[in-house]
Amino acid sequence: MSARPASNGQWMTRRRMLGVAGGVAAAVPLAACGSGAPEADSGGDGGGGTFLAYWNNAHEYDAYKDVVAQFEKDHGVTVEMQKFQWEDLRTKLVSDFQSGNVPDVVEEPGNWVQEFALSGDALPLQKYIDKDGAKIGFPDDWLEAAVTENTHEGQVYGIQLHYTCTLLFYNRRMLADAGIEPPTTWDDFLAAAQELTSGDVTGTVLNDGLSYSYPWMLQNGVHEYDPDSGRLLQPRAAAMEAMQFQRDLVHEHQVSPKPTTALDVTRAAKFFAAERAAMIFTGPWDIPIIKESNPDLDYGIAPALTGRRQATIAGGTTLFIPQKARRPDLSWDFIKRMTALKTETAATEQSSMLMPRKSWAEQSAVLENPDVKPFTTGLPYAEEFRTGIYTTGKAGELEDIYKTLYETMLIEGTDAEEAFATYDDAAKNILKG
């Protein structure tokens, strides 16, 4: 999005559109990998010891455990998977870069790769791609955006692990009882949410986390930063309209409860599973929560809305090697194994997570899964909201003031004129600093 989400913020900000694992395990041993799987690289710089990977604490899929077990066997190493929440990982990484004591490989939530490439903390992977790219299908088998968002000045610095987006989840019974079709435009969505809000049921729940505002911006043709002009949130009138629309869902139309600062990124899914919300915007990371909470819930997944255009946020996670990693050849072999097609498919079977390979979308495990298949049509129009922000060297600070803008409007109810004026004042101080 993004996952990529985000350098120094929350969810998809720090959570980056990814979530809690669940469902039935579907393990595929690495040794049995077929199309898209790399050959085991048992040479190079193994030699025992500990191989340290920084990983998201929600991604303990059995398919990845199998990769780790085979990797340990082939290289004679012990893999230590240190697991973090995104914000804690950010803090730990920055400290490691300063000390020079870095892990062997890192899973990051999006945008960090380009930022760390710019700062010299990420290792360019071009020599490995030149050697192995054709064998593993890179870059041809990866969606284009999943490659470009991990590229800096023509060099690839990371390989996408997960690639996902948000779509519209809706309660089939509620919409059918009201005689409503799944909405396709902002106006349709508002009308449906108003019709479906009654008693203790709200038409929607705007999820905690500012990154859930990104699709609304993209649907109005807005990105956070324009690298050519150096301007933020342009076109400005469209940005104000998109944020005001979200604000009004909460404060004027009252079809959604207020987001909270608690950053409970499962809140909307819990409302939806409890049948207290008719529609939410989320991705596959919330499907295990919904199913575990209410196995009998009859829900559908519809395409992203259209404002001035149809769009949704691209998110996911990327694997990269720190510049000062001790055994980069070993790290590269680990990346190849984790991003193999069979590994991707097995992880999807367990968790409904989406993946960046084009061939992944053609697998029966994807096409026959009603929770996954709708996303295969959404991923091609998914976009990164924070494109180019890393070139400012201020990605984290700019995300912080966007967070303030979001919370000021959606939680406090401030109107767009006042909130954007405050945002612009803060942005000027950051960009000139």
Side-chain angles (χ1 to χ4, degrees):
M1 80 173 340
S2 186
R4 142 196 172 194
S7 53
N8 208 17
Q10 355 173 90
W11 149 66
M12 234 184 304
T13 26
R14 298 177 164 133
R15 180 172 182 260
R16 199 53 178 169
M17 301 183 89
L18 299 164
V20 179
V24 180
V28 177
L30 236 291
C33 289
S35 174
E39 298 175 0
D41 180 4
S42 57
D45 47 8
T50 298
F51 180 90
L52 179 59
Y54 285 177
W55 213 252
N56 182 260
N57 63 346
H59 301 155
E60 298 185 81
Y61 305 147
D62 286 353
Y64 296 162
K65 293 177 182 177
D66 287 342
V67 170
V68 167
Q70 189 65 47
F71 183 83
E72 290 179 322
K73 179 179 178 181
D74 289 343
H75 291 292
V77 298
T78 299
V79 176
E80 180 181 346
M81 303 284 282
Q82 289 192 9
K83 301 176 182 69
F84 298 86
Q85 296 280 2
W86 293 129
E87 58 269 33
D88 297 330
L89 174 57
R90 173 83 185 192
T91 301
K92 175 66 171 157
L93 265 180
V94 171
S95 175
D96 287 351
F97 291 152
Q98 291 173 347
S99 70
N101 185 23
V102 299
D104 293 288
V105 70
V106 179
E107 179 192 12
E108 60 88 33
N111 282 18
W112 294 4
V113 164
Q114 291 176 320
E115 180 186 356
F116 293 148
L118 182 67
S119 66
D121 292 308
L123 182 74
L125 302 179
Q126 199 60 50
K127 75 171 185 177
Y128 298 111
I129 293 166
D130 291 343
K131 173 177 174 287
D132 294 328
K135 289 188 287 186
I136 67 173
F138 188 90
D140 293 347
D141 196 31
W142 266 253
L143 291 167
E144 182 179 358
V147 177
T148 58
E149 291 303 322
N150 292 304
T151 300
H152 171 64
E153 294 185 345
Q155 289 256 14
V156 173
Y157 284 81
I159 305 296
Q160 197 85 20
L161 176 67
H162 301 153
Y163 192 67
T164 187
C165 65
T166 61
L167 295 178
L168 173 67
F169 283 56
Y170 63 95
N171 184 305
R172 282 198 174 98
R173 178 189 60 79
M174 288 184 183
L175 268 68
D177 288 349
I180 297 172
E181 294 293 324
T184 59
T185 68
W186 288 13
D187 289 343
D188 290 344
F189 178 77
L190 174 57
Q194 290 175 314
E195 179 70 20
L196 294 163
T197 297
S198 177
D200 64 351
V201 175
T202 60
T204 190
V205 174
L206 297 182
N207 213 330
D208 291 359
L210 63 94
S211 295
Y212 285 91
S213 71
Y214 294 174
W216 299 98
M217 290 291 196
L218 291 169
Q219 288 159 18
N220 237 26
V222 178
H223 288 82
E224 183 178 13
Y225 180 70
D226 177 9
D228 293 331
S229 68
R231 301 176 70 189
L232 296 163
L233 298 180
Q234 299 295 320
R236 176 49 58 87
M240 294 174 71
E241 180 184 36
M243 197 68 82
Q244 187 74 30
F245 185 87
Q246 297 168 78
R247 179 245 181 233
D248 289 348
L249 290 173
V250 174
H251 294 278
E252 180 177 339
H253 307 299
Q254 299 183 349
V255 297
S256 169
K258 294 179 184 179
T260 75
T261 57
L263 296 184
D264 179 3
V265 292
T266 66
R267 188 175 73 119
K270 291 172 182 175
F271 268 78
F272 187 69
E275 301 192 70
R276 292 180 54 201
M279 302 177 291
I280 62 171
F281 297 99
T282 191
W285 53 88
D286 274 337
I287 290 173
I289 297 169
I290 293 168
K291 288 192 167 183
E292 289 165 11
S293 301
N294 188 351
D296 298 323
L297 180 64
D298 185 14
Y299 63 88
I301 304 174
L305 298 180
T306 298
R308 301 184 184 195
R309 57 202 287 268
Q310 186 180 42
T312 188
I313 182 67
T317 67
T318 294
L319 300 181
F320 79 95
I321 303 171
Q323 177 69 250
K324 295 181 181 179
R326 294 177 299 123
R327 297 175 289 184
D329 291 354
L330 199 62
S331 301
W332 173 246
D333 186 53
F334 186 84
I335 289 175
K336 288 193 297 181
R337 294 167 184 244
M338 282 293 187
T339 59
L341 178 60
K342 284 288 185 73
T343 308
E344 286 190 355
T345 304
T348 296
E349 288 178 328
Q350 177 183 351
S351 66
S352 295
M353 184 54 68
L354 311 183
M355 302 295 175
R357 283 182 180 264
K358 298 173 185 175
S359 57
W360 165 85
E362 301 168 356
Q363 303 305 302
S364 59
V366 174
L367 296 175
E368 296 171 7
N369 187 332
D371 288 330
V372 175
K373 185 178 179 180
F375 288 93
T376 65
T377 60
L379 286 175
Y381 58 78
E383 298 178 38
E384 172 58 59
F385 175 66
R386 309 199 79 213
T387 298
I389 197 76
Y390 77 99
T391 61
T392 66
K394 307 284 186 177
E397 294 169 83
L398 292 172
E399 185 177 59
D400 287 342
I401 65 169
Y402 182 90
K403 178 176 182 283
T404 299
L405 171 69
Y406 173 82
E407 292 182 351
T408 298
M409 292 190 65
L410 271 74
I411 298 177
E412 300 173 18
T414 305
D415 66 24
E417 291 285 349
E418 180 180 346
F420 273 80
T422 301
Y423 171 86
D424 285 336
D425 287 343
K428 289 176 185 176
N429 291 330
I430 293 170
L431 293 176
K432 75 180 181 181

